[in-house]
Amino acid sequence: AQTVTQSQPEMSVQEAETVTLSCTYDTSESDYYLFWYKQPPSRQMILVIRQEAYKQQNATENRFSVNFQKAAKSFSLKISDSQLGDAAMYFCAYRIYQGGGADGLTFGKGTHLIIQP
Amino acid sequence: GAVVSQHPSWVICKSGTSVKIECRSLDFQATTMFWYRQFPKKSLMLMATSNEGSKATYEQGVEKDKFLINHASLTLSTLTVTSAHPEDSSFYICSASTRRANQPQHFGDGTRLSIL
């Protein structure tokens, strides 16, 4: 079974600073997807960024980037120029790739990100 | 972007009643829908996967007779919590996906269920 581990229950960062959220996973599969989701107090799940395991290049989306280390099974999220609106729970998630979209996500326990003004 | 509508957003009901939650994909055909459960300050746990026109696949430990899932069309899946009890109180979130592996799942806004 696949597992996703987020070792930081809570992180705090000053506004405009950079913060990195950690995520490791365990899988025997070679093809899979990794995601970071943001869940603000509204509890809506918002996709922040995703990474295909077969791609060596790290994904980036504006201020958000990942450091994907496939051999180490590590998938950290870096948020640059932190903004107050970034405050939320962040979940790392894994999904196996089986040639279709018919697989559920396995989530980590989440990291509560606090942005200090 | 793709939109998934979940209804109701909040429901309170008495113990012993059944509650139905709807999940609709508004602008794409969702061949697969997923149901997750989230306890307060906890992560999302996959409950079941439903494919249009076939029986749902439940994760280990999820009671099939307690959580009835129907996916009768490409735009609608329902989760019915039967004979609900206080321990069923939780936040339930659906997501929808197409068969294309490189497409992300699109989440509904969730349903907060409170059983008195």
Side-chain angles (χ1 to χ4, degrees):
Chain A
Q2 295 82 20
T3 58
V4 178
T5 302
Q6 292 179 251
S7 59
Q8 306 154 317
E10 186 173 282
M11 291 284 284
S12 181
V13 64
Q14 291 288 133
E15 193 176 2
E17 296 292 308
T18 296
V19 64
T20 298
L21 307 184
S22 301
C23 173
T24 58
Y25 58 94
D26 187 26
T27 183
S28 58
E29 303 292 333
S30 58
D31 292 329
Y32 48 88
Y33 292 91
L34 296 165
F35 306 86
W36 279 98
Y37 281 90
K38 170 185 176 181
Q39 188 180 43
S42 66
R43 305 191 80 169
Q44 186 181 22
M45 294 296 287
I46 301 167
L47 177 64
V48 175
I49 200 166
R50 69 174 181 176
Q51 174 83 41
E52 291 90 340
Y54 63 85
K55 289 186 177 179
Q56 292 185 338
Q57 187 174 7
N58 289 325
T60 61
E61 287 288 342
N62 300 315
R63 297 183 295 108
F64 299 88
S65 62
V66 299
N67 183 3
F68 173 49
Q69 301 289 329
K70 190 172 183 180
K73 296 181 182 176
S74 172
F75 182 62
S76 61
L77 173 70
K78 185 172 81 171
I79 306 174
S80 303
D81 185 24
S82 299
Q83 300 176 0
L84 294 178
D86 295 333
M89 282 294 290
Y90 285 81
F91 292 99
C92 179
Y94 164 101
R95 193 189 85 197
I96 191 172
Y97 173 89
Q98 287 184 334
D103 297 285
L105 294 165
T106 300
F107 286 91
K109 291 187 176 181
T111 297
H112 181 209
L113 179 63
I114 299 168
I115 310 295
Q116 298 189 357
Chain B
V3 178
V4 174
S5 173
Q6 189 171 340
H7 178 79
S9 58
W10 194 357
V11 58
I12 303 173
C13 60
K14 293 181 179 180
S15 182
T17 59
S18 293
V19 179
K20 180 184 284 187
I21 302 170
E22 293 187 348
C23 181
R24 294 181 183 272
S25 58
L26 300 182
D27 54 359
F28 69 102
Q29 293 185 328
T31 49
T32 305
M33 287 188 172
F34 306 90
W35 288 94
Y36 297 86
R37 181 173 181 176
Q38 185 178 30
F39 290 103
K41 298 185 179 181
K42 297 291 185 182
S43 187
L44 283 76
M45 299 294 293
L46 179 66
M47 298 175 63
T49 302
S50 72
N51 293 297
E52 185 265 338
S54 62
K55 289 184 178 180
T57 302
Y58 291 81
E59 296 299 302
Q60 192 172 11
V62 177
E63 298 178 60
K64 301 177 183 180
D65 295 332
K66 162 67 76 174
F67 301 100
L68 300 180
I69 292 172
N70 183 278
H71 191 171
S73 76
L74 286 171
T75 59
L76 175 64
S77 176
T78 60
L79 167 67
T80 301
V81 183
T82 63
S83 186
H85 292 283
E87 58 266 28
D88 298 324
S89 298
S90 191
F91 190 67
Y92 295 87
I93 311 176
C94 72
S95 71
S97 177
T98 67
R99 294 194 190 282
R100 297 175 63 184
N102 63 348
Q103 294 301 307
Q105 294 181 14
H106 304 284
F107 284 86
D109 287 343
T111 297
R112 181 178 170 184
L113 175 62
S114 297
I115 310 297
L116 303 178

